[in-house]
C-alpha cells in the first residue's frame, strides 16, 4: 500500500510502533552504546533505542526494519525539538514523570516480583525502566502536540474523499467481521450495613494513623488502589479535574498534612491526606477500600436490570430511553448506550470484543438482546449489564457507499501526513541533524543530509 494512506501518523515513535524483531539493513549484534542521532539539542542514544524497543516488544508491538524505525524516531524528534520551543505547548515534564512512576507500579502489579519484571523487559534497574517509560511518554506527548498544531486546520472535501477512494480503492484493506452494540449497565449497590462495615474499617485505619502510624505505611498495608499502594498512596502533581469529583473536593478542602474522614466515590471509600498544594496542582495520598458487592447485592442488581430489559422487550420503553434513565455507564448513557471504539467509530471488530461480550452475543442476530450478565469494568469493578445487537456487518472490502466515514478519515490522515512532511522539509535546512555512521547504509525516505549540519 502507498505509504501516504497508512493509518499511522508520520511520527512513528509512538509506543505502538516501537518494538518487535528488528531485522537488518543495520548489521545484527550488540552495539556499543553512544549517540545514535542528534536533532537540534535532542539526543538519541543507542541504549535509548534498544531500551524502548525492548519495552515496546513486551507491549506486543512489532516492526520489521530498523532503518525505518530509526527514521521514525528522527522525524518525531524533530517535532519534539520544535514542540519544546513552541510557547503555546504546555510543559508537562513534572506530570509525565509522575505518570511514569505510576505506570511502573501498574506494570509491576502484573508480575510476581520486581526482578522478574525487569528481566522480562530487559532492564537492569528500576531507574532505567522508569526513565525509559518517561522518555517514551514525553516524546509521545510533545510529538502529538506538535503534530496537532501543524495539522489543526486540515480538512477534506467530499470531492477529495471521492478522489482518494478512486485512486486507492484497490489498495484499501478488508474490513473484518463487525457488530454495532448498545448496552445498559448498572453497578450493584451496597446495603447500608455493608457500607458501614467498610467505613468502619477505614475509621480504624484513621485512628491508627492518629495514634502514631504513618499514612504511608498504612496505605502500603491496606490500600486496594494498585496504582498507588506500593508508593504509600501518593499521587503527585495532580491537576484539577484529573481525579473523580468527590476525591478532588475532599482533597482541596484539606490543609496541608490534614486527613479527611472516609470519602465515597465510584471506586469505593477513601481516606485522603493533602500533602502539598500549589495553585491548581496538588499532591495527595489516599487509602482506598473498594466497594466490592457481595453475591446478594449482585443478585439484587440483576433482578433490577432484568425488569428494565423486560420493559424494552415489551415495547414500553425504547433502549435509548432506558439507557438514559437507568444506565450507570457514563460513557454511553447519553448516546443511547452505543459502544464505540477508540477512534470513535460505533463499528466494533468481533475479534476485539471482550471475551465476556463475545460469548454473550454469540449466535444472536440483529435486534436481539442478551440476557443480563455480570462483567467487570475499569479497575475490576463489578457490573451487571445486557447488550443489544444493533447491526451485524460481514467482512468486506472498504467501499465509499458503506464506509464513507472511514475512507474520509483515511483521506484526512493522508493530507495531515503530507502537511507534516512539507513542514519537515521546510524546517530541515535550519535544524542541526547528525546521524551516526552506523546508519550510513540506511535508505531513508527523507534526505536528512540537507539539514543545517552540512552548512
Amino acid at each position: 500500500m502507498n505509504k501516504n494512506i497508512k493509518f499511522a501518523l508520520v511520527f512513528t515513535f509512538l509506543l505502538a510502533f516501537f518494538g518487535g524483531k528488528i531485522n537488518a539493513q543495520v548489521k545484527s549484534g550488540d552495539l556499543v552504546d553512544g549517540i545514535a542521532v542528534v536533532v537540534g539539542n535532542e539526543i538519541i542514544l543507542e541504549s535509548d533505542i534498544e531500551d524502548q524497543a525492548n519495552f515496546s516488544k513486551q507491549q506486543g508491538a512489532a516492526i520489521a526494519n530498523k532503518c525505518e524505525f530509526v527514521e521514525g524516531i528522527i522525524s518525531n524528534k524533530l517535532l519534539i525539538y520544535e514542540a519544546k520551543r513552541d510557547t503555546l505547548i504546555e510543559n508537562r515534564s513534572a506530570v509525565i514523570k509522575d505518570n511514569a512512576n505510576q505506570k511502573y507500579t501498574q506494570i509491576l502489579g502484573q508480575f510476581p516480583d520486581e526482578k522478574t519484571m525487569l528481566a522480562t523487559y530487559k532492564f537492569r534497574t528500576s531507574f532505567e525502566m522508569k526513565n525509559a517509560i518517561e522518555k517514551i511518554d514525553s516524546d509521545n506527548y510533545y510529538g502529538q502536540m506538535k503534530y496537532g498544531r501543524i495539522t489543526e486546520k486540515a480538512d477534506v472535501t467530499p470531492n477529495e474523499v471521492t478522489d482518494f477512494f478512486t485512486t486507492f480503492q484497490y489498495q484499501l484493506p478488508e474490513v473484518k467481521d463487525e457488530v454495532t452494540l448498545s448496552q445498559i449497565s448498572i453497578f450493584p449497590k451496597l446495603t447500608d450495613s455493608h457500607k458501614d462495615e467498610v467505613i468502619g474499617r477505614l475509621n480504624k485505619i484513621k485512628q491508627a494513623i492518629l495514634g502514631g502510624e504513618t499514612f504511608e505505611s498504612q496505605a502500603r498495608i491496606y490500600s486496594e488502589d494498585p496504582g498507588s499502594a506500593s508508593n504509600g498512596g501518593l499521587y503527585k502533581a495532580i491537576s484539577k479535574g484529573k481525579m473523580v469529583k468527590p476525591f478532588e473536593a475532599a482533597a482541596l478542602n484539606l490543609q496541608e498534612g490534614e486527613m479527611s474522614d472516609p470519602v465515597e466515590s465510584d471506586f469505593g471509600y477513601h481516606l485522603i491526606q493533602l500533602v502539598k498544594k500549589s495553585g491548581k496542582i496538588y499532591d495527595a495520598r489516599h487509602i482506598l477500600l473498594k466497594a466490592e458487592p457481595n453475591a446478594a447485592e449482585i443478585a439484587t442488581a440483576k433482578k433490577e436490570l432484568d425488569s428494565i430489559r423486560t420493559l424494552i422487550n415489551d415495547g414500553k420503553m425504547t433502549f435509548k430511553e432506558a439507557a438514559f434513565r437507568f444506565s450507570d455507564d457514563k460513557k454511553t448513557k447519553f448516546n443511547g448506550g452505543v459502544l464505540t471504539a477508540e477512534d470513535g467509530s460505533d463499528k466494533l471488530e468481533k475479534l476485539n470484543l471482550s471475551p465476556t461480550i463475545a460469548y454473550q452475543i454469540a449466535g444472536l442476530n440483529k435486534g436481539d438482546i442478551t440476557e443480563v450478565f455480570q462483567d467487570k469494568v475499569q479497575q475490576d469493578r463489578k457490573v451487571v449489564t445486557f447488550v443489544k445487537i444493533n447491526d451485524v456487518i460481514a467482512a468486506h472490502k472498504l467501499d465509499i457507499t458503506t464506509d464513507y466515514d472511514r475512507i474520509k478519515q483515511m483521506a484526512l490522515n493522508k493530507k495531515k501526513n503530507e502537511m507534516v512532511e512539507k513542514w519537515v522539509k521546510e524546517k530541515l535546512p535550519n535544524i542541526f541533524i547528525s546521524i551516526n555512521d552506523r546508519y550510513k547504509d540506511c535508505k531513508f525516505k527523507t534526505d536528512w543530509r540537507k539539514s543545517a549540519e552540512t552548512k
Side-chain angles (χ1 to χ4, degrees):
M1 186 187 297
N2 186 299
K3 69 183 178 68
N4 288 325
I5 66 170
K6 291 181 180 178
F7 284 106
L9 302 179
V10 74
F11 50 93
T12 55
F13 188 79
L14 291 175
L15 183 62
F17 296 96
F18 257 113
K21 295 179 181 178
I22 301 175
N23 297 326
Q25 285 181 35
V26 176
K27 291 181 180 180
S28 61
D30 294 334
L31 297 176
V32 177
D33 195 20
I35 294 176
V37 183
V38 178
V39 180
N41 61 5
E42 294 287 322
I43 295 174
I44 306 165
L45 300 176
E46 286 293 345
S47 60
D48 294 334
I49 296 171
E50 297 304 318
D51 284 349
Q52 291 157 354
N54 288 332
F55 181 81
S56 299
K57 181 178 179 180
Q58 296 303 319
Q59 302 296 309
I63 191 166
N65 185 290
K66 190 170 183 178
C67 289
E68 291 180 2
F69 171 69
V70 171
E71 181 161 31
I73 294 176
I74 298 171
S75 296
N76 196 47
K77 276 295 183 184
L78 196 152
L79 292 174
I80 293 160
Y81 171 68
E82 287 293 320
K84 291 180 179 178
R85 301 168 67 194
D86 190 333
T87 57
L88 295 179
I89 294 177
E90 181 186 1
N91 184 325
R92 293 180 59 83
S93 299
V95 174
I96 290 169
K97 185 178 183 67
D98 184 51
N99 287 342
N101 290 331
Q102 293 177 28
K103 284 186 179 181
Y104 179 89
T105 301
Q106 290 169 354
I107 295 170
L108 179 58
Q110 302 169 17
F111 290 86
D113 53 61
E114 191 170 49
K115 184 178 179 180
T116 303
M117 179 188 69
L118 293 173
T120 301
Y121 280 89
K122 298 183 180 179
F123 289 102
R124 292 173 295 180
T125 65
S126 60
F127 174 80
E128 283 186 356
M129 183 167 172
K130 289 177 183 179
N131 192 48
I133 296 171
E134 184 181 345
K135 284 183 178 180
I136 291 171
D137 285 356
S138 178
D139 285 359
N140 194 10
Y141 166 73
Y142 285 108
Q144 288 188 63
M145 291 301 291
K146 192 61 184 179
Y147 186 96
R149 290 266 291 140
I150 297 166
T151 62
E152 60 188 353
K153 295 182 180 179
D155 198 6
V156 285
T157 65
N159 285 340
E160 287 176 312
V161 178
T162 300
D163 290 344
F164 174 86
F165 177 73
T166 301
T167 303
F168 299 110
Q169 60 180 308
Y170 299 110
Q171 298 169 267
L172 298 179
E174 183 177 275
V175 177
K176 297 178 181 178
D177 289 329
E178 295 177 320
V179 288
T180 60
L181 305 173
S182 297
Q183 73 174 15
I184 296 175
S185 302
I186 62 174
F187 295 114
K189 297 177 178 61
L190 272 60
T191 61
D192 288 343
S193 61
H194 193 171
K195 288 181 181 180
D196 290 342
E197 185 268 327
V198 177
I199 292 171
R201 287 168 56 204
L202 269 183
N203 279 326
K204 286 184 179 180
I205 295 170
K206 182 175 181 179
Q207 289 304 313
I209 295 170
L210 293 174
E213 298 288 349
T214 67
F215 196 103
E216 181 178 359
S217 67
Q218 297 299 286
R220 291 181 188 276
I221 296 170
Y222 296 110
S223 182
E224 296 173 350
D225 175 15
S228 70
S230 64
N231 197 33
L234 180 63
Y235 282 108
K236 296 183 67 176
I238 307 169
S239 54
K240 288 191 69 174
K242 181 178 178 180
M243 308 300 277
V244 290
K245 288 182 179 179
F247 184 104
E248 183 171 281
L252 294 180
N253 279 325
L254 297 171
Q255 299 298 316
E256 291 186 3
E258 188 180 4
M259 180 171 45
S260 72
D261 289 326
V263 175
E264 182 180 6
S265 81
D266 289 342
F267 298 104
Y269 292 85
H270 314 253
L271 279 181
I272 303 167
Q273 183 184 56
L274 181 65
V275 177
K276 182 175 66 175
K277 180 165 62 176
S278 177
K280 295 182 179 180
I281 303 295
Y282 63 100
D283 297 350
R285 295 186 187 275
H286 85 133
I287 297 170
L288 170 70
L289 295 184
K290 293 181 180 180
E292 192 77 17
N294 57 36
E297 290 160 343
I298 292 171
T300 299
K302 283 185 175 180
K303 185 176 180 180
E304 177 186 349
L305 196 57
D306 193 59
S307 66
I308 296 169
R309 180 179 179 276
T310 300
L311 289 174
I312 297 170
N313 282 332
D314 291 347
K316 296 179 180 179
M317 184 177 294
T318 67
F319 199 101
K320 183 176 181 179
E321 290 170 341
F324 180 76
R325 286 185 58 183
F326 301 113
S327 184
D328 289 332
D329 182 1
K330 296 176 183 178
K331 292 181 180 179
T332 64
K333 71 176 296 173
F334 300 108
N335 69 343
V338 176
L339 294 170
T340 56
E342 290 184 5
D343 63 359
S345 171
D346 65 344
K347 296 180 177 65
L348 310 173
E349 280 192 17
K350 282 188 174 181
L351 291 175
N352 291 336
L353 295 174
S354 73
T356 303
I357 291 180
Y359 174 79
Q360 293 293 332
I361 70 169
L364 299 184
N365 301 310
K366 180 178 178 179
D368 289 344
I369 298 178
T370 68
E371 299 293 331
V372 175
F373 61 93
Q374 183 180 327
D375 202 357
K376 288 187 177 180
V377 291
Q378 187 179 15
Q379 292 196 1
D380 287 336
R381 190 177 181 193
K382 292 179 181 178
V383 65
V384 294
T385 187
F386 62 82
V387 171
K388 179 182 179 181
I389 297 86
N390 300 318
D391 200 3
V392 178
I393 306 158
H396 63 281
K397 286 285 289 184
L398 282 171
D399 187 88
I400 199 164
T401 58
T402 56
D403 303 287
Y404 181 86
D405 288 341
R406 280 179 169 160
I407 294 169
K408 178 181 178 181
Q409 187 59 51
M410 294 173 75
L412 180 60
N413 285 346
K414 176 179 178 291
K415 178 175 275 193
K416 287 182 176 182
N417 288 345
E418 290 170 347
M419 290 173 69
V420 174
E421 288 170 4
K422 180 182 177 183
W423 177 87
V424 168
K425 289 177 181 178
E426 290 173 352
K427 288 289 182 181
L428 202 55
N430 301 310
I431 298 177
F432 176 85
I433 297 177
S434 176
I435 304 173
N436 192 285
D437 282 346
R438 66 167 54 102
Y439 299 104
K440 65 182 179 182
D441 293 331
C442 285
K443 296 177 181 178
F444 293 131
K445 294 171 184 175
T446 298
D447 188 358
W448 302 104
R449 292 169 296 181
K450 290 184 178 179
S451 72
E453 180 193 17
T454 61
K455 296 190 174 183

